[in-house]
Amino acid sequence: MTFEQKAFIQLCKDSGCPAPDYEFRFNKIRRWRVDYYFENGRRRLALEVEGGAWSNGRHVRGTGFIGDIEKYNALTLEGIWLLRVVPKDLLTVKTVEMVKKFLFGK
């Protein structure tokens, strides 16, 4: 795990959120994972960090984009909500506040 990933988990804990599971596998058949997974009672949330937007990365090329759609639809069908951020926004108050708003309704 990178420094940034560890820092995000600590930021969540320091902000009163449950510590997320990192690289959480939500589908055993397809072996899909999400970057961060939170759970608070019946509220289930995935947070994906979408890299490569400006560098022609996997998420913005045809096959990768279509694969992400399939993965995100599978998340929804399993009752897991999804938030997406770009790397520069991961360690921000804005991102943590979005997570808190979903998990606690605040």
Side-chain angles (χ1 to χ4, degrees), residues 20 25 28-29 33 36 40 44 48 55 58 62 64 68 71 75 80-81 86 96-97 101 103-104 106:
R25 182 176 291 159
K28 292 179 181 171
I29 296 169
R33 296 172 190 246
Y36 301 95
N40 183 32
R44 300 168 66 204
E48 284 281 275
S55 63
R58 188 196 77 74
D68 282 347
K71 175 181 169 181
L75 270 172
I80 301 171
W81 288 68
V86 294
V96 174
E97 290 300 318
K101 185 172 184 171
L103 292 176
F104 303 112
K106 298 179 185 178

Side-chain angles (χ1 to χ4, degrees), residues 32-96:
W32 278 317
R33 296 172 190 246
V34 292
D35 294 328
Y36 301 95
Y37 173 79
F38 300 85
E39 199 168 306
N40 183 32
R42 296 179 63 192
R43 293 177 184 237
R44 300 168 66 204
L45 176 66
L47 178 70
E48 284 281 275
V49 182
E50 302 286 3
W54 304 110
S55 63
N56 197 25
R58 188 196 77 74
H59 296 287
V60 295
R61 291 187 303 227
T63 303
F65 185 80
I66 291 168
D68 282 347
I69 289 172
E70 186 178 4
K71 175 181 169 181
Y72 298 157
N73 287 342
L75 270 172
T76 299
L77 292 173
E78 292 198 26
I80 301 171
W81 288 68
L82 173 67
L83 291 175
R84 299 166 64 199
V85 298
V86 294
K88 73 175 187 68
D89 290 337
L90 181 62
L91 294 173
T92 64
V93 171
K94 176 183 172 184
T95 296
V96 174

Side-chain angles (χ1 to χ4, degrees), residues 18-34:
D21 291 327
Y22 177 68
E23 289 289 322
F24 177 77
R25 182 176 291 159
F26 74 93
N27 184 296
K28 292 179 181 171
I29 296 169
R30 290 295 305 268
R31 300 180 62 153
W32 278 317
R33 296 172 190 246
V34 292

